[in-house]
Amino acid sequence: MRLRHGGGSGFAALPAGRRCGADKRRRRHFLYGAAARRAAPLLSKIAQPMLDRSAETAFAAVLGAHALRARISDNPQYCGRFIEPEPATPIGTFHLIDEGVCVVDLPQGGGAIELQAGDLVMFPHGAAHTLRSPPDCEADDSPAAQRRTAILCGEFEFASGRRNPVLDALPAWIVVRHDDSQPQFRHLARLMAHEARHASFGRQLVLDKLADALFVMALRQHIAASPERRGLIAALVDPRLARVLEALHLEPGRAWTVAALAALAHQSRTAFAQHFHAVLGVSPYQYLTEWRMTEARRLLGDPRHSAATIAEQLGYQTEAAFRRAFKKVHGHGPGQTRRAARHARINAVPPDPANAP
């Protein structure tokens, strides 16, 4: 039997194996009013020694510019047997086991893994998967057939969309085991579980804020434990490239040259250019251009910044050159981004009760 959260009034029992129809579909709205750079102070508070200061600065800048948005979307509870196919989604998903045991059938022939209370599985690219009870629940007379399982399910995405170096550097799934995690992660998992169990005022808001921290902590655990790092994550743990990324992210408008960047990495120009491309898959100039255009998209969301001002701030000699670079990277001009940001602001403003019919 599944016990599903029914809102502020408690939990409602549902027959085993029954899909919940429209109620099952998770809401896809996020707290858009949060500051675009809230990831920066968050990462600063939970940074660990294995990432040096340069890497922390670069990573916080990337997360801040791409604007991470996470939320808890579901809190299913089961008694005994259960199976929940989770379809592929255009955004990332995760499941934190609060209580009991859950088997996860992984995508792409990844087999199955068994998760215990406090374990987390994350699907950065939204891959399809299945949550189900372990085999010991199959027999009706088994003690496990009455075991309670509770899961916190969530979603995350970036305001910039799927095209960003954080997602590009992540595998199809990430597993963080309670027993292998850091004390901070275990404490956060317990805090989220406690918050989910109590219908306190502002519970959803608190859970969504904590989900942001959970995502970053899971990334930190992945960076520390994964034997195979790629892209941005591989660059962050490389002290030479971390210094270069810090400089590029702090001063995107500077007239950088390969020679200047190579000096920061303490390499020759040729060795640096080859090393940078081997790790990040693009040339230093391409990376800088992508980063400038990411910053440009963020700045265009603020009506106080004109296109000409942004162009100058990001190191372009003319506004025309900036517009060409923006369209080449994003596929459309700055004006479309500006209009979309204006439309989002208008829709975010609640109606004035005085104007109601």
Side-chain angles (χ1 to χ4, degrees), residues 24 26-30 68-76 86-87 89-97 119-127 129 131 151-157 192 204 207-208 210-212 214-215:
K24 172 64 180 174
R26 296 172 183 164
R27 293 174 296 166
R28 303 283 183 192
H29 57 83
F30 294 81
L68 169 67
R69 302 190 296 235
R71 63 171 275 107
I72 297 299
S73 57
D74 202 0
N75 182 207
E86 299 287 340
T89 64
I91 59 178
T93 59
F94 62 88
H95 307 286
L96 177 65
I97 309 305
D119 292 348
L120 171 77
V121 61
M122 185 166 67
F123 299 93
H125 308 286
H129 55 282
L131 308 177
I151 307 173
L152 278 176
C153 303
E155 307 165 337
F156 66 88
E157 65 176 346
M192 294 181 71
Q204 183 67 48
L207 284 172
D208 291 348
L210 295 177
D212 273 0
L214 185 74
F215 176 86

Side-chain angles (χ1 to χ4, degrees), residues 236-321:
L236 290 174
V237 297
D238 184 323
R240 295 171 297 182
L241 293 182
R243 287 192 296 270
V244 171
L245 293 180
E246 178 188 31
L248 292 177
H249 286 280
L250 288 178
E251 298 184 86
R254 182 173 170 178
W256 290 105
T257 64
V258 173
L261 296 174
L264 290 174
H266 303 299
Q267 293 179 293
S268 69
R269 286 179 294 179
T270 301
F272 164 72
Q274 292 174 343
H275 181 53
F276 192 99
H277 192 281
V279 175
L280 287 159
V282 294
S283 70
Y285 177 76
Q286 288 174 303
Y287 186 93
L288 175 59
T289 300
E290 290 273 355
W291 174 241
R292 283 174 170 174
M293 294 305 103
T294 297
E295 278 289 273
R297 179 173 47 200
R298 181 183 67 83
L299 292 170
L300 285 166
D302 188 337
R304 295 172 297 178
H305 299 296
S306 67
T309 301
I310 296 172
E312 181 180 2
Q313 182 176 335
L314 295 178
Y316 288 89
Q317 298 297 317
T318 67
E319 183 180 340

